[in-house]
Amino acid sequence: MAASVCRVGSTVGRALAKSRSPILLSLRRGQASVSYAQSLVGAPETRLTALDNGLRVASEETGHATCTVGLWISSGSRYENEKNNGAGFFLEHMAFKGTKKHPQTALEQQVESMGAHLSAYTSREHTAYYMKTLAKDLPKAVELLSEVVQSCSLNEAELEQQRGVVLRELEEVEGNLQEVCLDLLHATAFQGTPLGHSVLGPSGNARILTRQDLVDYINSHYKAPRMVLAAAGGVNHDELVTLAKSHFSGVSFEYEGDAVPLLSPCRFTGSEISMRDDALPLAHVAIAVEGASAASPDIVPLMVANSIIGSYDLTFGGGKHLSSRLARLAVEENLCHSFQAFHSSYSDTGLLGIYFVTDKNHIEDMMHWSQNAWMNLCTTVTESDVARGKNALKASLVGQLNGTTPICDDIGRHILNYGRRIPLAEWDARIDAVNPGMVRDVCSKYIYDKCPAVAAVGPVEQLPDYNRIRSAMYWLRF
């Protein structure tokens, strides 16, 4: 089979959609003639409806000939325990191996005949099953998604076959040192709590997970109030709601014995973990502090702060004329091959950090200048720094929503995280409200004199002692 099955607004907006305005037409074609302000005004409205069983239906109609529709669920590795860690990822593998109505071959033929792409992913707090297809095939897409989620066959023979596939994927992931490093970072930062679990789970669990474990996982987490049916593109919201009622009204909203799975509180621990291997050519290092939750008002100033630090890769042009101070230093002093400021936000906490790849002789220097960049955010960030960071952040937010699939993903995650879709115009206003004082205050709250978590993989002999790293989290200023 081809790549068909894989894993991996406003009132003004409605008026523009009806009038086939040149602004909207330009937006659809992705032409550069549309200004940033016009893109905000022309953004379609996201409509939200809740079914009687608590399942929410959200959509954004853009008038495209294609659409993406999917189911976003509040379930992931954070909802797992030591025994069943990896169940969500295993279930993702099983999802497209046939339903009670359609065996695997028939399901693949259905998707192939539509020219569609059926995909899924699992993260620490969310699971998604989605399909990109022609707008006219929306009813069939919703029907197939409902089968995949509600009627997965979980055949024993197929389960054993997929067990081998999962184990091979776990071996392959070991070669992706960025993923290894960031998984180690979560493991040490949130040690002893569910957020420390990796999404894929340990190989030991993959070898012993049973069909009943997967059934129990579905029965515990796949409940209507924790689901969002999201769609973007050439979709009609009223039609989508009708389809949802037809195919998802039977999804239960009750838990056996009222055993509602609740998120365990996660505790951040400043700590260090390293996996030294001098045979590897480059060191992968991440340093992070506890960040803000997804719904925290501090999230926007921290996003601006990360934009000020920016990112860098050897393939970047610009050299010493790059806008990010840390990027300029990386070029001039040959500090690293790449670095990236990141903020992973969860429902009640987050990780704010910097990940970099460097050779074994520049680990200490890169760590020093990374922490120095943090200290500058807390103490001496300027108006021009903040203006540049705000512009970069705005461009990033708009650029991410390029196509129906990223828009649909944005809708699904927003409804689960915030209970609504935050429009671009609101993000823009919140970013504009950020000033240097706000960046300094918020960064001081989360970064200054805080214990960091550090993870390192590769030839990391030069990694500074943790006490020395901790002492660089503040400045002695007189």
Side-chain angles (χ1 to χ4, degrees), residues 28-248:
R28 288 176 184 162
R29 296 170 188 146
Q31 292 179 359
S33 59
V34 181
S35 72
Y36 175 74
Q38 287 173 327
S39 70
L40 297 182
V41 172
E45 177 190 27
T46 300
R47 297 179 62 187
L48 177 63
T49 302
L51 303 188
D52 293 338
N53 61 358
L55 186 142
R56 288 162 289 181
V57 183
S59 69
E60 178 182 295
E61 184 176 358
T62 61
H64 286 85
T66 60
C67 69
T68 299
V69 60
L71 207 64
W72 272 255
I73 309 168
S74 284
S75 70
S77 61
R78 186 174 179 181
Y79 292 89
E80 299 165 356
N81 53 45
E82 296 288 341
K83 180 183 175 184
N84 72 350
N85 182 208
F89 180 70
F90 206 122
L91 190 60
E92 177 191 326
H93 274 264
M94 295 296 299
F96 304 140
K97 301 308 173 184
T99 67
K100 294 174 182 177
K101 183 177 177 182
H102 291 98
Q104 180 180 354
T105 304
L107 177 63
E108 291 176 351
Q109 287 176 347
Q110 289 276 348
V111 176
E112 190 80 41
S113 65
M114 296 160 59
H117 290 265
L118 181 60
S119 191
Y121 72 79
T122 305
S123 66
R124 283 181 164 79
E125 290 189 337
H126 300 147
T127 298
Y129 301 89
Y130 58 94
M131 183 184 292
K132 184 175 178 66
T133 184
L134 293 172
K136 66 182 180 63
D137 291 325
L138 177 66
K140 189 64 179 177
V142 174
E143 178 188 347
L144 291 176
L145 284 169
S146 71
E147 284 191 38
V148 165
V149 173
Q150 298 179 76
S151 307
C152 187
S153 62
L154 298 179
N155 180 278
E156 285 282 4
E158 193 62 54
L159 189 143
E160 290 304 319
Q161 181 182 343
Q162 289 305 307
R163 193 187 306 279
V165 174
V166 170
L167 288 170
R168 283 196 298 274
E169 281 202 29
L170 285 169
E171 288 182 11
E172 291 173 5
V173 167
E174 291 296 322
N176 185 335
L177 296 184
Q178 178 176 348
E179 283 199 31
V180 171
C181 184
L182 294 180
D183 270 348
L184 287 174
L185 183 68
H186 279 81
T188 193
F190 297 111
Q191 55 188 274
T193 71
L195 259 183
H197 296 154
S198 73
V199 174
L200 280 64
S203 58
N205 282 7
R207 290 187 175 92
I208 62 174
L209 281 171
T210 64
R211 183 182 188 278
Q212 190 56 46
D213 290 327
L214 301 184
V215 171
D216 291 342
Y217 185 86
I218 292 172
N219 291 338
S220 297
H221 302 296
Y222 284 25
K223 300 296 183 182
R226 298 170 63 174
M227 293 182 176
V228 175
L229 181 67
V235 295
N236 178 279
H237 184 75
D238 295 331
E239 179 190 6
L240 186 64
V241 171
T242 302
L243 291 169
K245 289 178 179 177
S246 173
H247 296 290
F248 292 101

Side-chain angles (χ1 to χ4, degrees), residues 234-463:
V235 295
N236 178 279
H237 184 75
D238 295 331
E239 179 190 6
L240 186 64
V241 171
T242 302
L243 291 169
K245 289 178 179 177
S246 173
H247 296 290
F248 292 101
S249 291
V251 179
S252 173
F253 58 89
E254 298 176 335
Y255 295 87
E256 294 180 12
D258 292 331
V260 181
L262 299 175
L263 279 178
S264 303
C266 283
R267 174 191 66 254
F268 179 90
T269 303
S271 51
E272 176 191 21
I273 184 169
S274 62
M275 195 167 74
R276 182 176 171 183
D277 184 351
D278 290 343
L280 294 173
L282 297 170
H284 296 248
V285 183
I287 178 172
V289 292
E290 184 172 16
S293 65
S296 169
D298 295 331
I299 193 83
V300 174
L302 289 177
M303 290 165 70
V304 172
N306 265 356
S307 293
I308 293 172
I309 293 177
S311 61
Y312 166 73
D313 189 275
L314 278 176
T315 60
F316 284 10
K320 62 182 180 181
H321 302 295
L322 290 166
S323 56
S324 162
R325 179 170 179 267
L326 186 57
R328 290 198 301 272
L329 284 166
V331 174
E332 293 171 354
E333 306 297 333
N334 193 28
L335 294 178
C336 66
H337 285 228
S338 65
F339 76 80
Q340 179 181 0
F342 65 89
H343 187 197
S344 302
S345 57
Y346 302 104
S347 56
D348 57 352
T349 186
L351 272 184
L352 175 73
I354 299 174
Y355 163 79
F356 61 87
V357 180
T358 186
D359 62 69
K360 62 182 181 181
N361 297 316
H362 289 90
I363 299 173
E364 187 175 9
D365 289 342
M366 186 60 196
M367 180 65 77
H368 166 76
W369 288 112
S370 296
Q371 292 184 274
N372 182 269
W374 271 354
M375 293 303 99
N376 283 327
L377 290 176
C378 298
T379 56
T380 59
V381 67
T382 65
E383 190 76 50
S384 61
D385 289 334
V386 174
R388 174 176 57 80
K390 286 157 70 170
N391 287 336
L393 179 57
K394 289 177 182 180
S396 174
L397 287 176
V398 174
Q400 287 172 2
L401 304 179
N402 183 24
T404 59
T405 300
I407 292 173
C408 189
D409 184 56
D410 194 58
I411 293 171
R413 290 185 295 103
H414 275 215
I415 302 300
L416 291 178
N417 287 335
Y418 311 116
R420 67 188 181 97
R421 170 87 185 284
I422 300 180
L424 279 175
E426 183 176 332
W427 281 119
D428 182 70
R430 290 170 66 178
I431 293 169
D432 280 338
V434 175
N435 56 49
M438 191 182 298
V439 172
R440 285 192 292 268
D441 291 344
V442 172
C443 287
S444 294
K445 174 182 175 181
Y446 288 92
I447 299 173
Y448 199 84
D449 202 17
K450 302 296 181 185
C451 294
V454 180
V457 180
V460 294
E461 181 182 10
Q462 202 190 68
L463 184 71

